C-alpha cells in the first residue's frame, strides 16, 4: 500500500477507492491516523504500560471489553458534566473494565442517562453533618445548633459553591475533573473519610488489585 493511496483513504474515505482495495487501504489509513495522533499528542500512558496493567488486572479477575470511542467519551462528558483526565481517558479508551463495582460507562452512554456523581459524596457529607457533628466552617459558615438546620445550611453551601466534579473509577475510588492534568491522585471517599489511595492512576490500580507497579509516561509533558 503506497503512502499516496493511504492518504486518499484518510482524507476522502472508502468511497474514493476501488472496492477490491478499500479494506486494506482504510486499515492503512486508520493506522496512519494513530501514528499521527501519537506524534502530535503522545498518549498519557504508553501502550506497553496499558497492556501490562490490563494483563495484571485480568490476572486478578477483572473483565474488560473494547475501550470507549471518542463519541462515547464526548457523550459521557456532556451527560455527566465531567472532563476525563488525560490518563483516565487513555485507559478507558484502550480497554473498558466491566467487572462489578466499576462504573458502567458504556451503559450510561447507551441509555443517555444524566448523572451527577457528586450527589453521592454530598449526601455522605450531609449525613455526617446531621448525625456525626461534622462541620467545615470555612465552607459552611457558623454551624446552627439544630442538626437539621446545620444540614440545610451545608446543603445550601454545596449549591452556591459547587465542588470539582468527581469521576468514579471503582467502588468509592475516584478522580476529579479538575485540574485536567496527567498524573493526578486517585481518592478514596466514604462520606467524610477522604484519603489518597494512589498517587496516580497506575499507582492506584497496583494498590487496589495487588500487583507490581507498572510505569509508562504519566508525566505532564
Amino acid at each position: 500500500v503506497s503512502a499516496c493511496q493511504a492518504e486518499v483513504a484518510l482524507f476522502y474515505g472508502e468511497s474514493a477507492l476501488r472496492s477490491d482495495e478499500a479494506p486494506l487501504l482504510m486499515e492503512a489509513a486508520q493506522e496512519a491516523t494513530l501514528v499521527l495522533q501519537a506524534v502530535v499528542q503522545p498518549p498519557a500512558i504508553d501502550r506497553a504500560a496499558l497492556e501490562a496493567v490490563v494483563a495484571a488486572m485480568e490476572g486478578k479477575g477483572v473483565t474488560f471489553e473494547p475501550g470507549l470511542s471518542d463519541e462515547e467519551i464526548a457523550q459521557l462528558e456532556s451527560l455527566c458534566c465531567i472532563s476525563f483526565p488525560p490518563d483516565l481517558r487513555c485507559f478507558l479508551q484502550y480497554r473498558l473494565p466491566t467487572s462489578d463495582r466499576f462504573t458502567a460507562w458504556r451503559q450510561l452512554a447507551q441509555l443517555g442517562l444524566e448523572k451527577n456523581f457528586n450527589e453521592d459524596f454530598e449526601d455522605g457529607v450531609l449525613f455526617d453533618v446531621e448525625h456525626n457533628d461534622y462541620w467545615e466552617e470555612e465552607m459552611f459558615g457558623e454551624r446552627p445548633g439544630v442538626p437539621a438546620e446545620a444540614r440545610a445550611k451545608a446543603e445550601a453551601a454545596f449549591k452556591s459553591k459547587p465542588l470539582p466534579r468527581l469521576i468514579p473509577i471503582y467502588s468509592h475510588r475516584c478522580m476529579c475533573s479538575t485540574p485536567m492534568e496527567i498524573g493526578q491522585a486517585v481518592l478514596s471517599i466514604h462520606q467524610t473519610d477522604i484519603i489518597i489511595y494512589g498517587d496516580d492512576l497506575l499507582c492506584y490500580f497496583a494498590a487496589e488489585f495487588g500487583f507490581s507497579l507498572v510505569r509508562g509516561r504519566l508525566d505532564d509533558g
Side-chain angles (χ1 to χ4, degrees), residues 125-136:
V125 173
L126 295 175
F127 179 88
D128 279 356
V129 165
E130 186 171 7
H131 299 284
N132 296 318
D133 294 325
Y134 177 79
W135 194 254
E136 286 288 343

Side-chain angles (χ1 to χ4, degrees), residues 80-123:
C80 304
C81 297
I82 59 175
S83 296
F84 287 102
D87 40 4
L88 180 58
R89 173 174 179 153
C90 181
F91 179 80
L92 294 176
Q93 291 202 278
Y94 177 68
R95 292 290 186 273
L96 182 65
T98 56
S99 298
D100 289 345
R101 303 173 74 190
F102 279 98
T103 307
W105 292 114
R106 182 156 281 135
Q107 184 179 12
L108 286 174
Q110 289 172 343
L111 297 177
L113 296 175
E114 295 183 358
K115 178 71 174 176
N116 179 0
F117 296 110
N118 281 36
E119 289 179 350
D120 293 338
F121 167 66
E122 292 172 4
D123 286 346

Side-chain angles (χ1 to χ4, degrees), residues 151-164:
R151 180 189 174 104
K153 187 171 184 178
E155 188 171 8
F158 278 136
K159 292 178 180 178
S160 64
K161 306 172 186 176
L163 298 172

Side-chain angles (χ1 to χ4, degrees), residues 13-82:
E14 190 170 346
S15 61
L17 306 169
R18 297 199 318 268
S19 60
D20 61 332
E21 65 184 3
L24 181 60
L25 294 178
M26 287 305 297
E27 183 178 345
Q30 291 166 357
E31 185 67 25
T33 300
L34 292 175
V35 171
L36 286 171
Q37 289 175 342
V39 171
V40 175
Q41 184 176 4
I45 307 173
D46 66 39
R47 188 175 183 88
L50 289 169
E51 291 175 349
V53 168
V54 168
M57 292 173 69
E58 286 177 330
K60 298 296 183 177
V62 178
T63 57
F64 290 87
E65 61 184 36
L68 298 171
S69 66
D70 288 341
E71 292 75 16
E72 287 174 314
I73 288 287
Q75 183 183 10
L76 288 164
E77 290 186 328
S78 177
L79 287 170
C80 304
C81 297
I82 59 175

